[in-house]
């Protein structure tokens, strides 16, 4: 089980926790693996050799740059690495820090898109489904989030502008609805809310970009659950029914085909320690 950093701690405390974990393995030289959340730990521990690795949950996607800077300055560069959701880093060409590895797509959940999800869920629920078309149905929300990051708007999406607020399981998400929800969010009071024309123009300019790079995995899986619920008259939860089922199907062999696997493999070779499980 990973050490989990208290969400209320300061950035200095988070860095100290990683250093303490590294120092705690001064004898066995286990590699400390920093991940964003507990779900990430549960997913990645299936593919890492836990006799040589120990997770620490950062409870945030922030602070990786400071962790890298201070830990490396202390001479710990070969003692840890960090796995971070790509988010919009690839699309915005965000400079990466030492010891940090990005997910292939927007986030860890999007690894599941490498599976034949249409066939897997279609067989499970007895219905023809096209999960890419569902991702396209919520594209208005996904691109609004991308626009927010690309233009430094610093708008909050967490409470109001989420999938159940703007997607009914049938119609494409409206940019108007996204903007209206953002305007109603208390945390956005006093901030400049973009107008429909700005976001629509941005959406048009980004046609052809791989949807897995800008679509939030939680949004995608939640939209899939909503799409199924409408057609099957069920109450499926993406957290309970959809994501765990797909993750169980996602095998070591599937992970071996990812860029993240290749990055960890490269580190394994550089430090001379087995970090990855061998696929069955």
């Amino acid at each position: 089980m990973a050490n989990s950093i208290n969400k209320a701690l300061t950035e200095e405390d988070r860095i100290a926790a990683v250093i303490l974990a590294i120092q705690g393995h001064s004898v066995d030289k286990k590699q400390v693996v920093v991940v964003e959340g507990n779900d990430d730990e549960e997913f990645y521990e299936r593919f890492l050799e836990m006799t040589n690795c120990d997770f620490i949950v950062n409870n945030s996607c922030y602070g990786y740059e400071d962790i890298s800077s201070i830990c490396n300055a202390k001479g710990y560069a070969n003692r840890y690495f960090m796995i971070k959701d790509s988010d919009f880093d690839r699309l915005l060409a965000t400079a990466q820090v030492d010891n940090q590895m990005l997910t292939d797509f927007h986030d860890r959940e999007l690894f599941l898109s490498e599976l034949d999800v249409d066939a897997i869920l279609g067989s499970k629920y007895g219905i023809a489904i096209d999960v890419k078309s569902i991702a396209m149905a919520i594209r208005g929300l996904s691109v609004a989030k991308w626009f927010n990051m690309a233009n430094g708007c610093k708008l909050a999406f967490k409470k109001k502008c989420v999938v159940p607020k703007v997607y009914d399981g049938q119609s494409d998400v409206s940019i108007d609805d996204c903007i209206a929800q953002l305007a109603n969010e208390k945390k956005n009071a006093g901030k400049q809310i973009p107008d429909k024309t700005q976001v629509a123009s941005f959406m048009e300019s980004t046609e052809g970009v791989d949807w897995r790079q800008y679509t939030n995995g939680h949004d995608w899986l939640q939209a899939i659950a909503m799409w199924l619920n409408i057609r099957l008259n069920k109450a499926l939860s993406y957290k309970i029914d959809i994501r765990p089922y797909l993750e169980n199907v996602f095998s070591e062999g599937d992970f071996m085909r990812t860029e993240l696997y290749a990055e960890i493999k490269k580190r394994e070779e550089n430090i001379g320690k087995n970090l990855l499980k061998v696929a069955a």
Side-chain angles (χ1 to χ4, degrees):
M1 178 63 67
N3 300 299
S4 186
I5 301 174
N6 190 312
K7 291 182 180 180
L9 294 181
T10 65
E11 289 303 316
E12 290 78 10
D13 292 329
R14 292 172 186 276
I15 296 166
V18 175
I19 292 173
L20 184 63
I22 292 171
Q23 293 174 339
H25 291 294
S26 59
V27 175
D28 61 28
K29 294 295 190 294
K30 277 191 176 184
Q31 194 77 172
V32 172
V33 185
V34 182
V35 293
E36 295 184 26
N38 291 313
D39 288 345
D40 298 309
E41 176 207 355
E42 293 172 7
F43 181 77
Y44 291 121
E45 71 179 358
R46 296 169 51 202
F47 310 115
L48 296 183
E49 180 49 69
M50 295 310 298
T51 57
N52 290 330
C53 297
D54 186 25
F55 282 96
I56 187 162
V57 177
N58 191 46
N59 274 313
S60 174
C61 63
Y62 298 106
Y64 279 31
E65 183 174 356
D66 289 336
I67 290 172
S68 172
S69 176
I70 294 177
C71 286
N72 289 6
K74 289 182 174 292
Y76 295 145
N78 289 330
R79 299 288 308 284
Y80 77 102
F81 65 92
M82 308 173 290
I83 301 176
K84 179 185 177 297
D85 283 348
S86 176
D87 297 323
F88 296 103
D89 285 4
R90 295 183 188 278
L91 296 175
L92 302 179
T94 304
Q96 295 305 301
V97 301
D98 291 340
N99 290 61
Q100 176 176 286
M101 302 177 189
L102 295 178
T103 53
D104 291 31
F105 307 116
H106 188 277
D107 48 49
R108 186 254 305 163
E109 284 78 9
L110 266 300
F111 278 123
L112 303 176
S113 68
E114 292 286 81
L115 299 170
D116 188 350
V117 183
D118 291 352
I120 293 168
L121 294 183
S123 176
K124 179 175 176 61
Y125 294 109
I127 188 173
I129 185 172
D130 181 349
V131 297
K132 181 179 178 180
S133 71
I134 295 174
M136 292 300 98
I138 63 168
R139 187 167 185 262
L141 174 60
S142 303
V143 172
K145 291 183 175 183
W146 183 3
F147 180 94
N148 181 49
M149 289 297 296
N151 292 277
C153 301
K154 298 182 179 180
L155 298 172
F157 281 80
K158 290 184 179 179
K159 292 185 178 180
K160 297 289 185 182
C161 199
V162 292
V163 169
K165 294 285 186 179
V166 295
Y167 180 58
D168 62 5
Q170 301 182 85
S171 305
D172 289 356
V173 168
S174 162
I175 293 176
D176 283 331
D177 287 346
C178 291
I179 292 173
Q181 293 294 340
L182 286 171
N184 289 332
E185 170 58 60
K186 290 182 179 179
K187 290 184 178 180
N188 292 333
K191 297 179 183 177
Q192 182 66 44
I193 307 295
D195 60 38
K196 177 182 178 180
T197 303
Q198 290 175 294
V199 181
S201 177
F202 184 78
M203 179 181 288
E204 184 177 352
S205 73
T206 58
E207 286 284 353
V209 176
D210 187 341
W211 65 272
R212 297 172 298 179
Q213 294 295 345
Y214 61 81
T215 304
N216 181 289
H218 293 275
D219 291 347
W220 175 58
L221 294 173
Q222 190 168 26
I224 289 173
M226 293 177 66
W227 188 95
L228 288 168
N229 288 339
I230 288 291
R231 287 153 184 82
L232 301 177
N233 193 28
K234 290 182 177 291
L236 300 173
S237 162
Y238 88 92
K239 290 183 179 180
I240 297 173
D241 302 296
I242 306 299
R243 185 174 69 188
Y245 185 74
L246 293 175
E247 287 181 340
N248 186 59
V249 174
F250 193 84
S251 67
E252 290 179 10
D254 294 317
F255 188 65
M256 286 181 69
R257 289 187 288 273
T258 67
E259 292 179 19
L260 179 59
Y261 174 91
E263 284 294 308
I264 299 174
K265 186 68 176 177
K266 186 186 302 181
R267 180 169 186 81
E268 180 180 81
E269 294 167 353
N270 287 341
I271 67 174
K273 183 180 285 287
N274 182 28
L275 304 176
L276 290 154
K277 290 181 180 177
V278 178

